[in-house]
Amino acid sequence: MIFFNKIRSTEVIEKERLQLWNDYQTYKEVEQSADLKTYLALKEKVESKPFLENKKSIESLRYKGSSIEKMQKQFEKLEANRKLRRYFAALSSSELERFRTIGESGEMVNLADLEKFVRQGGYKAELAKFKELKKADKQNVDTWENTEAYKKKNQFEDLKTSSNVLFYRKYAKSKSYKNFLTIDDSALLHQYEDLKSEIGSDKFEDRKIYLQNAKRYEDTDDFKVLTHFQQLDKDDKIQLYLKYNDTDAFRFFREWTPTFNENFDSIDTKIWSFITPIAEKGPQRNFSIKNQLHYSNGSDNFDFENGIMTLETKKEMVEGLYWDAQYGFVPKVFNYASGLMHTIDGFMQEYGLFEVKVKTSKVKGVLSSISLVDADEDICIRIFSANHAKPHGGLISTNRQDKELNPVTFSVFSKGYVLIRLIWTREKLEWFVNDKSMGSISSNVPHVPLALRIESEVLKETNNLPHRLDVDWIKCYKAN
């Protein structure tokens, strides 16, 4: 087998290409998907400044140090205030209730009126008046004890020592009542009642529960949006799309359209022919000319198995046709049998990318080639050509019936299968081996459609046979 300097492994390149192709299919699928549309919309939203600020704001909230906690602590402090505690103790006591009942009964008002009558001269004036009347009228039999003034005096004496009056006067002077009067309707009491009303509200309780909930953000609609985004962000297909988006990784697939793909699973005789175009116009079978040692034995030396095309050149006696300038086509026995196949009637293309996966024996005296040719065989672009020397590509031009080869030597090669690529444009021909450029030709570039041709030729006598030319596939593309 032919092998020279190291290049990238054919197996690795094909594996990478297959992976890239599969990734490209997934990329195109995702590119048109509703999931990607949703993902990009969600991505824009969750990465927006308002969204991020809202998330930060909600997550940064804490019960500790909040106005809610401060109000709670302030209320608890007021609840512990001794004056307020004594106030509410008094407010709910039976003593205050009795005190208020006595005050509201008019008993103390009556006492005050009687006391005023007794203490401020009303009683004495009535007594003096009664005495004068008795003195002036000896016949007057009225007694003082029956007078209204005397009754008021006794009523006063009885009332001022009554249990209610004694209780009322004592409670009015008590510390409890004095504290009650100080706190009642005070700013302190109003503050307490306002806080109690606020803290007891559903709104306050809801806010307190919200701030104490460490996972409060998870209850928001924003979190649902973020979760949906994160789920899509973990999707393998989405990640693949993001990996390749805004890169030129798929440049090849976008720049080149497949025009021909031969995997040799079976041979289509509408595309491939085993007889040269010239022979098809003449004897309907291949023929050899001067200096040719072999005979192209139709399809007999070709084998198509497991998706591999094998052309085997053998040393064996075979009867064929020979073109004699004097006698024309004459039978002849050849010592070597080989073959050729072409697509003149099935596929031709002008410009583009042509690639083959090929392997060939290293046999001195045998030349194997895969070319692009015209029907008259005047133009030939060697995609790949190999004998015992270094493989090469090149351009064969016909000049006054002489054929001239302008070669491009493949400076590196590999054992086993290699990938030979030719890019043919209006300006030049360029060859690659396993993606490494081997050189180019810019002169006499053909500008006509050409067909594929595969063949092996015996150039000189040799015993080192059989020789094999194996082709796994051929792919052709047109530039978009």
Side-chain angles (χ1 to χ4, degrees):
M1 296 297 177
I2 297 172
F3 60 96
F4 291 92
N5 297 331
K6 288 184 178 180
I7 55 174
R8 293 187 68 214
S9 163
T10 300
E11 182 181 1
V12 169
I13 291 174
E14 285 203 291
K15 185 177 180 181
E16 289 177 354
R17 288 184 183 180
L18 178 60
Q19 184 62 58
L20 194 62
W21 171 253
N22 291 335
D23 288 352
Y24 183 52
Q25 304 312 304
T26 301
Y27 180 91
K28 291 192 296 182
E29 174 191 336
V30 175
E31 191 175 32
Q32 303 299 323
S33 69
D35 278 351
L36 178 64
K37 185 177 181 181
T38 301
Y39 172 82
L40 294 176
L42 292 177
K43 181 175 173 38
E44 182 178 2
K45 183 170 184 176
V46 302
E47 291 180 354
S48 68
K49 187 175 180 180
F51 189 94
L52 293 173
E53 287 180 347
N54 186 52
K55 181 175 185 292
K56 183 178 179 181
S57 174
I58 293 174
E59 290 181 335
S60 66
L61 293 173
R62 297 289 185 274
Y63 174 72
K64 187 173 179 63
S66 67
S67 59
I68 296 294
E69 186 199 36
K70 289 177 182 177
M71 289 176 65
Q72 182 73 46
K73 286 185 175 181
Q74 190 177 10
F75 177 72
E76 290 171 356
K77 184 177 180 181
L78 289 176
E79 274 198 320
N81 183 286
R82 287 190 300 168
K83 290 183 178 181
L84 283 172
R85 288 168 67 90
R86 281 160 39 192
Y87 169 82
F88 288 112
L91 185 63
S92 61
S93 67
S94 59
E95 286 85 355
L96 180 62
E97 184 179 1
R98 182 182 177 188
F99 179 81
R100 285 177 167 173
T101 300
I102 294 170
E104 292 170 358
S105 68
E107 196 170 352
M108 297 308 296
V109 174
N110 187 33
L111 178 63
D113 291 343
L114 290 173
E115 186 175 18
K116 181 180 180 181
F117 173 75
V118 172
R119 306 285 190 199
Q120 295 184 8
Y123 177 78
K124 288 182 178 181
E126 289 292 328
L127 180 59
K129 184 178 179 181
F130 180 81
K131 287 181 178 181
E132 287 179 2
L133 288 173
K134 288 286 284 184
K135 187 177 179 180
D137 184 8
K138 300 294 186 179
Q139 299 300 318
N140 187 349
V141 294
D142 290 336
T143 62
W144 174 244
E145 287 76 10
N146 290 326
T147 65
E148 195 65 30
Y150 181 81
K151 291 178 182 178
K152 284 184 178 182
K153 173 74 167 51
N154 284 342
Q155 187 179 1
F156 168 69
E157 293 297 335
D158 291 340
L159 191 57
K160 74 177 183 178
T161 59
S162 69
S163 61
N164 280 351
V165 170
L166 291 175
F167 168 79
Y168 187 91
R169 286 179 170 173
K170 181 180 180 182
Y171 187 79
K173 295 177 181 179
S174 68
K175 290 181 178 181
S176 176
Y177 185 64
K178 288 180 179 179
N179 178 74
F180 178 85
L181 293 177
T182 301
I183 298 301
D184 197 40
D185 203 31
S186 66
L188 182 65
L189 180 61
H190 288 309
Q191 182 185 17
Y192 172 83
E193 289 174 339
D194 289 344
L195 281 173
K196 183 177 181 181
S197 175
E198 180 70 21
I199 288 173
S201 67
D202 291 340
K203 180 180 177 181
F204 182 90
E205 185 62 24
D206 290 345
R207 183 64 176 171
K208 181 180 177 181
I209 292 171
Y210 176 75
L211 292 176
Q212 289 177 330
N213 179 14
K215 296 182 178 180
R216 72 187 74 88
Y217 185 69
E218 296 179 11
D219 295 329
T220 65
D221 290 337
D222 275 9
F223 180 75
K224 294 176 183 177
V225 170
L226 181 60
T227 300
H228 191 188
F229 168 76
Q230 290 171 340
Q231 288 171 345
L232 289 174
D233 193 48
K234 292 177 182 177
D235 183 87
D236 290 341
K237 291 185 177 181
I238 295 288
Q239 283 301 311
L240 182 142
Y241 174 87
L242 296 176
K243 172 186 174 182
Y244 289 110
N245 197 38
D246 295 329
T247 73
D248 63 353
F250 301 134
R251 182 178 177 182
F252 179 87
F253 307 124
R254 289 170 175 149
E255 291 185 350
W256 298 100
T257 297
T259 55
F260 182 83
N261 185 15
E262 180 59 81
N263 292 313
F264 298 110
D265 292 322
S266 61
I267 199 69
D268 187 348
T269 55
K270 293 180 181 179
I271 296 176
W272 293 98
S273 174
F274 298 95
I275 303 175
T276 66
I278 294 176
E280 286 177 344
K281 294 176 182 178
Q284 298 295 307
R285 56 184 293 196
N286 287 327
F287 61 89
S288 296
I289 60 176
K290 185 179 179 180
N291 298 327
Q292 285 186 329
L293 302 177
H294 70 283
Y295 180 69
S296 293
N297 198 20
S299 62
D300 290 353
N301 285 60
F302 285 93
D303 181 64
F304 302 92
E305 188 174 352
N306 298 323
I308 303 292
M309 183 227 78
T310 300
L311 170 55
E312 193 168 38
T313 302
K314 302 176 183 179
K315 187 172 183 179
E316 62 180 1
M317 295 181 67
V318 59
E319 184 177 323
L321 283 182
Y322 174 74
W323 171 253
D324 185 284
Q326 183 177 356
Y327 299 106
F329 294 110
V330 295
K332 181 179 178 180
V333 175
F334 295 86
N335 292 324
Y336 302 95
S338 188
L340 65 82
M341 58 190 294
H342 65 83
T343 63
I344 293 291
D345 296 324
F347 170 76
M348 299 184 78
Q349 182 171 310
E350 182 180 7
Y351 313 126
L353 186 152
F354 306 83
E355 190 167 40
V356 298
K357 182 181 178 183
V358 61
K359 176 175 68 172
T360 182
S361 304
K362 182 183 178 183
V363 175
K364 190 173 183 179
V366 177
L367 175 69
S368 294
S369 62
I370 302 173
S371 309
L372 293 171
V373 298
D374 66 342
D376 297 328
E377 301 184 11
D378 289 331
I379 300 173
C380 177
I381 301 173
R382 292 286 201 208
I383 300 174
F384 165 77
S385 183
N387 52 27
H388 69 285
K390 285 186 178 181
H392 61 273
L395 174 62
I396 300 175
S397 302
T398 302
N399 184 13
R400 296 180 181 179
Q401 295 186 343
D402 293 327
K403 295 189 182 296
E404 298 177 354
L405 171 64
N406 184 3
V408 171
T409 301
F410 297 161
S411 59
V412 293
F413 217 64
S414 175
K415 183 179 180 180
Y417 280 102
V418 290
L419 306 176
I420 310 298
R421 175 177 290 182
L422 167 69
I423 297 181
W424 172 20
T425 66
R426 291 178 180 274
E427 294 77 24
K428 68 176 181 178
L429 300 161
E430 186 172 9
W431 284 262
F432 300 81
V433 174
N434 284 21
D435 292 341
K436 182 177 179 64
S437 177
M438 295 291 112
S440 62
I441 294 174
S442 300
S443 59
N444 299 321
V445 175
H447 302 292
V448 293
L450 300 177
L452 290 161
R453 177 164 166 157
I454 303 171
E455 63 184 320
S456 290
E457 305 172 71
V458 179
L459 302 180
K460 60 183 179 180
E461 297 289 344
T462 179
N463 291 315
N464 192 19
L465 294 175
H467 169 279
R468 286 172 59 100
L469 171 65
D470 295 313
V471 182
D472 191 347
W473 49 255
I474 302 175
K475 297 177 183 179
C476 307
Y477 304 84
K478 271 281 192 182
N480 290 329

